[in-house]
Amino acid sequence: AQSVTQLGSHVSVSEGALVLLRCNYSSSVPPYLFWYVQYPNQGLQLLLKYTSAATLVKGINGFEAEFKKSETSFHLTKPSAHMSDAAEYFCAVSESGNTPLVFGKGTRLSVIA
Amino acid sequence: GAGVSQSPSNKVTEKGKDVELRCDPISGHTALYWYRQSLGQGLEFLIYFQGNSAPDKSGLPSDRFSAERTGGSVSTLTIQRTQQEDSAVYLCASSLDGGRGTEAFFGQGTRLTVV
């Protein structure tokens, strides 16, 4: 069965510092992987997705993630944090068509001025 | 519509009452999903529709929960005899065809509080 583990329920970084949000997955088949962001009192918005093409995926707002099969990881990074990046971030996996996305428990990112 | 619309945005109900939550997906999207978001628990899958059929109901937590979708469009999630543990944000999402790599678009959710 597919599952996602996000290490760290809360990450705090200084403005301008590197953002690293960790995601590890478990899947019996090559997975499709997603990162979503949820700003306060809003729905989830897709940041980026991996669908077996390039292993380094670039998304919106300067975020990117790298699929590492050997480590079963799909960590999200951004070189320089901005105050507007403060939000909840969710990693998700899709194992096969017509099945729902399975989400991790989320990581809340705080950005300190 | 322009996005996934959910109503009401907030609902406070007394324990034991029934509630109905509505989701209006993006026009033309055949796949529709319901999730429940509780503090610190991430998103818990409830049910998935492809058209009007629900091939996956595995996430419904009890028989007090049911959902339907009519006309391949609007969906209603019904919770009967609500309990305090049902308090959460209920999120609806839709996607074009439910395929593996298809993006799911989320509504802003209904915050349910059972008192």
Side-chain angles (χ1 to χ4, degrees):
Chain A
Q2 52 190 341
S3 66
V4 171
T5 302
Q6 292 185 240
L7 296 176
S9 59
H10 183 209
V11 170
S12 185
V13 300
S14 298
E15 191 174 20
L18 171 72
V19 175
L20 171 61
L21 304 182
R22 299 177 186 274
C23 172
N24 288 88
Y25 69 90
S26 172
S27 176
S28 58
V29 299
Y32 283 10
L33 295 158
F34 303 76
W35 274 99
Y36 279 81
V37 60
Q38 185 179 34
Y39 297 104
N41 300 315
Q42 295 189 25
L44 277 73
Q45 176 184 1
L46 181 68
L47 267 181
L48 50 81
K49 64 181 180 181
Y50 166 75
T51 57
S52 76
T55 57
L56 181 63
V57 181
K58 295 187 183 299
I60 61 172
N61 301 337
F63 284 92
E64 62 182 36
E66 185 173 8
F67 173 70
K68 292 187 176 180
K69 182 179 177 180
S70 62
E71 299 177 7
T72 60
S73 69
F74 190 56
H75 301 330
L76 182 71
T77 60
K78 181 174 180 178
S80 176
H82 192 272
M83 298 297 288
S84 60
D85 295 327
E88 187 98 19
Y89 291 80
F90 293 92
C91 183
V93 62
S94 173
E95 196 169 67
S96 63
N98 294 319
T99 58
L101 291 172
V102 174
F103 285 86
K105 292 190 175 183
T107 298
R108 183 163 62 90
L109 176 67
S110 297
V111 182
I112 304 168
Chain B
V4 178
S5 178
Q6 292 187 246
S7 61
S9 55
N10 280 285
K11 175 72 176 179
V12 180
T13 190
E14 292 181 351
K15 179 181 172 182
K17 295 285 181 68
D18 297 351
V19 294
E20 282 190 356
L21 312 181
R22 176 188 168 106
C23 174
D24 204 335
I26 293 173
S27 177
H29 281 196
T30 63
L32 185 147
Y33 312 83
W34 283 98
Y35 288 86
R36 180 168 68 176
Q37 184 177 22
S38 304
L39 191 62
Q41 296 301 312
L43 274 74
E44 175 189 10
F45 167 73
L46 299 179
I47 189 169
Y48 156 66
F49 287 93
Q50 182 60 259
N52 291 334
S53 302
D56 192 345
K57 304 180 182 179
S58 63
L60 293 177
S62 75
D63 59 6
R64 295 186 296 105
F65 288 72
S66 64
E68 66 175 10
R69 189 180 186 193
T70 55
S73 181
V74 173
S75 176
T76 302
L77 177 69
T78 301
I79 309 173
Q80 296 179 308
R81 306 181 302 281
T82 52
Q83 304 295 313
Q84 288 187 330
E85 61 262 28
D86 300 333
S87 296
V89 176
Y90 290 81
L91 291 169
C92 176
S94 70
S95 70
L96 189 59
D97 57 13
R100 268 187 83 188
T102 309
E103 178 181 354
F105 293 83
F106 282 80
Q108 294 197 3
T110 293
R111 183 176 298 277
L112 176 66
T113 304
V114 182
V115 298

